[in-house]
Amino acid sequence: MRHIVNGNHSRLEFDSIADLLAVVRRHREVLYDREIDSRPEYFGDIRSVDHLFELACIGWEVQLDDTLRVAEETVATVERSYDVPLWQSRYDIGGADVDVSRYLSGEPENMISYHLVETPRTGRVVSLAMNIGATYDVSTEDMIKRGKSVVSLVYALERIGLRTELYTDAQAKSMGSGRETAREMVKIKDAADALDPAMVMFAYAHPAFLRGMLLTAMHEHPARIQDSLKVGSAYGIPLKSLANDVFPEGCIILSTVMRSGDHSVSNVEAFVVKHLKDLGLI
């Protein structure tokens, strides 16, 4: 974890979910105080603190099959309706990846290069940051629905042949007239990592990632920031618009479910198509 304090702003940066988990474990008493095991309407299907920590290690599979089915159907529909670019690989003397077997056998063309007829303006790596901040009254169902749409988008990008670099982001401001803000950023997947759908589901779709993991991590902010945001009870007012200056150049921040009843992502296909068009992929 990196902790950056600049005036009234405090930011926590985590290099992985495992990095975040190590910090949350230090504050596990906070989760007991918040009765995580007896509030399914707020935390989702979490049965205990240890269950939350288990999901942070292996991911969330309860709704994964349904999500991947919808993602497959969405990608199939998009491919039928639009000209979707596909990456093609070929062996060459130079390229992005090495074929170890061909290299060891002495084949001169042992590198794998990738060719795209229509190169998207994003290049081969797409960086996405999901703003997962949400007010107290947003239902677990809306948070899950939102996350499943984003997972479908990630799946579509990987299916096309692009590499994804994934983050979560959340920022909250003072409950009063103060100017204090607190922000928590987590890297979920590096571009070089293979996609782990269950882990992405946990980070993007499970309510307890925000309400259990990130809100607990907020106890690492300085005392004056915590007091201003009422960390421990209200946890500040989530911000909808976040700057992307802390992310890789060109990173796209996906907006959050900010208020109860926001059903703007109920149509998964429309959500995926919109962002593929924004990225210049279809």
Side-chain angles (χ1 to χ4, degrees), residues 23-61:
V23 171
V24 173
R25 285 185 185 276
R26 299 205 296 260
H27 299 280
R28 65 182 296 152
E29 72 282 354
V30 172
L31 293 167
Y32 286 118
D33 291 342
R34 297 173 65 209
E35 300 177 329
I36 189 173
D37 59 340
S38 60
R39 300 170 64 192
E41 76 287 351
Y42 187 70
F43 291 102
D45 61 356
I46 296 298
R47 298 187 299 272
S48 66
V49 174
D50 288 334
H51 182 210
L52 173 62
F53 293 168
E54 179 185 3
L55 293 184
C57 294
I58 66 173
W60 189 39
E61 297 186 345

Side-chain angles (χ1 to χ4, degrees), residues 13 27 39 45 49 55 58 67 71 79-81 96 99 140-141 143 167-168 170 184 186 188 203 211 216 256:
E13 297 181 358
H27 299 280
R39 300 170 64 192
D45 61 356
V49 174
L55 293 184
I58 66 173
T67 301
E79 289 177 341
R80 286 195 302 268
S81 305
D99 185 311
T140 57
E141 290 79 10
M143 296 180 76
Y167 301 85
T168 62
E184 303 80 42
V186 185
I188 305 302
R211 293 171 169 172
T216 299
T256 185

Side-chain angles (χ1 to χ4, degrees), residues 3 41 51 104 136 234 241 248:
H3 189 189
E41 76 287 351
H51 182 210
L104 293 176
Y136 181 91
S241 299

Side-chain angles (χ1 to χ4, degrees), residues 38-104:
S38 60
R39 300 170 64 192
E41 76 287 351
Y42 187 70
F43 291 102
D45 61 356
I46 296 298
R47 298 187 299 272
S48 66
V49 174
D50 288 334
H51 182 210
L52 173 62
F53 293 168
E54 179 185 3
L55 293 184
C57 294
I58 66 173
W60 189 39
E61 297 186 345
V62 171
Q63 299 200 34
L64 183 58
D65 288 345
D66 178 63
T67 301
L68 294 182
R69 177 187 58 78
V70 172
E72 284 276 9
E73 293 173 354
T74 300
V75 170
T77 300
V78 170
E79 289 177 341
R80 286 195 302 268
S81 305
Y82 299 91
D83 291 328
V84 180
L86 295 175
W87 290 97
Q88 297 177 342
S89 62
R90 64 187 179 199
Y91 291 109
D92 207 336
I93 58 173
D97 299 309
V98 62
D99 185 311
V100 177
S101 297
R102 291 174 70 94
Y103 172 78
L104 293 176

Side-chain angles (χ1 to χ4, degrees), residues 9-280:
H9 179 62
S10 176
R11 185 171 78 247
L12 306 175
E13 297 181 358
F14 301 92
D15 291 327
S16 64
I17 295 178
D19 189 16
L20 172 64
L21 177 60
V23 171
V24 173
R25 285 185 185 276
R26 299 205 296 260
H27 299 280
R28 65 182 296 152
E29 72 282 354
V30 172
L31 293 167
Y32 286 118
D33 291 342
R34 297 173 65 209
E35 300 177 329
I36 189 173
D37 59 340
S38 60
R39 300 170 64 192
E41 76 287 351
Y42 187 70
F43 291 102
D45 61 356
I46 296 298
R47 298 187 299 272
S48 66
V49 174
D50 288 334
H51 182 210
L52 173 62
F53 293 168
E54 179 185 3
L55 293 184
C57 294
I58 66 173
W60 189 39
E61 297 186 345
V62 171
Q63 299 200 34
L64 183 58
D65 288 345
D66 178 63
T67 301
L68 294 182
R69 177 187 58 78
V70 172
E72 284 276 9
E73 293 173 354
T74 300
V75 170
T77 300
V78 170
E79 289 177 341
R80 286 195 302 268
S81 305
Y82 299 91
D83 291 328
V84 180
L86 295 175
W87 290 97
Q88 297 177 342
S89 62
R90 64 187 179 199
Y91 291 109
D92 207 336
I93 58 173
D97 299 309
V98 62
D99 185 311
V100 177
S101 297
R102 291 174 70 94
Y103 172 78
L104 293 176
S105 66
E107 287 280 352
E109 295 181 339
N110 54 58
M111 299 297 291
I112 304 173
S113 62
Y114 298 90
H115 176 68
L116 182 64
V117 176
E118 297 179 12
T119 304
R121 62 173 176 266
T122 53
R124 288 196 61 220
V125 175
V126 176
S127 296
L128 296 176
M130 179 180 175
N131 178 5
I132 63 172
T135 53
Y136 181 91
D137 62 343
V138 174
S139 69
T140 57
E141 290 79 10
D142 280 352
M143 296 180 76
I144 292 170
K145 185 186 303 178
R146 165 63 173 177
K148 290 169 75 171
S149 294
V150 178
V151 173
S152 294
L153 173 60
V154 171
Y155 182 87
L157 292 170
E158 293 271 343
R159 171 73 173 267
I160 289 171
L162 300 176
R163 296 177 180 178
T164 56
E165 188 174 54
L166 307 177
Y167 301 85
T168 62
D169 192 12
Q171 186 171 342
K173 65 179 182 178
S174 172
M175 297 295 297
S177 59
R179 297 183 177 180
E180 292 81 6
T181 62
R183 189 172 189 176
E184 303 80 42
M185 301 162 44
V186 185
K187 190 170 191 177
I188 305 302
K189 175 187 175 298
D190 188 79
D193 297 337
L195 180 65
D196 185 339
M199 291 301 291
V200 178
M201 273 288 290
F202 173 63
Y204 282 173
H206 202 297
F209 184 81
L210 167 65
R211 293 171 169 172
M213 302 286 287
L214 288 189
L215 295 193
T216 299
M218 289 181 71
H219 289 263
E220 290 284 319
H221 290 295
R224 63 184 178 86
I225 301 288
Q226 292 191 44
D227 291 343
S228 181
L229 275 68
K230 296 184 179 179
V231 171
S233 56
Y235 290 91
I237 300 173
L239 300 181
K240 186 171 185 177
S241 299
L242 305 181
N244 64 358
D245 55 336
V246 294
F247 293 112
E249 183 178 357
C251 182
I252 299 167
I253 295 182
L254 303 173
S255 61
T256 185
V257 175
M258 288 294 297
R259 294 289 184 268
S260 177
D262 181 355
H263 300 294
S264 59
V265 294
S266 57
N267 188 325
V268 177
E269 181 183 328
F271 178 83
V272 172
V273 167
K274 175 188 182 303
H275 287 286
L276 292 181
K277 286 183 175 179
D278 289 345
L279 291 165

